[in-house]
Amino acid sequence: MKTKCYSVRLESLVSISDRAYKATAFDGSEAIIPKSMVFGQDYEVQKSYAVWIAAFILEKEDCNLQYSDKKVKWFNR
């Protein structure tokens, strides 16, 4: 199964449990992201920290995290 992900620039990504991260964007927006929906760091981003997060998590109505849908990558899981 392929999962569509967006590259999200973050101020911080902190583990808050065995199963979740608290992600904070540079505008102060925050979201709780399941660890299984974070697909690793985007190493192409040089000036800040960015990770690949599953698109459907970011697109949920209750997810307030600031992100751009310009940089997309598909991951096999």
Side-chain angles (χ1 to χ4, degrees), residues 6 11-12 20 35-37 56-57 60 66-68 76:
Y6 296 135
E11 187 174 323
S12 68
K35 287 187 176 181
S36 62
M37 296 297 108
F56 74 91
I57 292 291
K60 286 173 84 175
Q66 181 189 51
Y67 70 95
S68 168
N76 287 320

Side-chain angles (χ1 to χ4, degrees), residues 9-56:
R9 292 174 188 249
L10 297 174
E11 187 174 323
S12 68
L13 184 68
V14 179
S15 178
I16 58 170
S17 76
D18 290 344
R19 301 175 71 186
Y21 290 114
K22 180 180 178 185
T24 305
F26 288 100
D27 70 341
S29 60
E30 297 177 336
I32 305 301
I33 308 290
K35 287 187 176 181
S36 62
M37 296 297 108
V38 177
F39 287 77
Q41 187 171 347
D42 179 359
Y43 292 103
E44 292 177 6
V45 175
Q46 298 294 316
K47 291 188 167 69
S48 65
Y49 176 70
V51 294
W52 294 101
I53 299 176
F56 74 91

Side-chain angles (χ1 to χ4, degrees), residues 56-73:
F56 74 91
I57 292 291
L58 295 167
E59 292 166 347
K60 286 173 84 175
E61 219 173 279
D62 61 348
C63 182
N64 298 321
L65 194 65
Q66 181 189 51
Y67 70 95
S68 168
D69 59 6
K70 287 183 174 46
K71 195 166 181 188
V72 177
K73 190 172 183 179

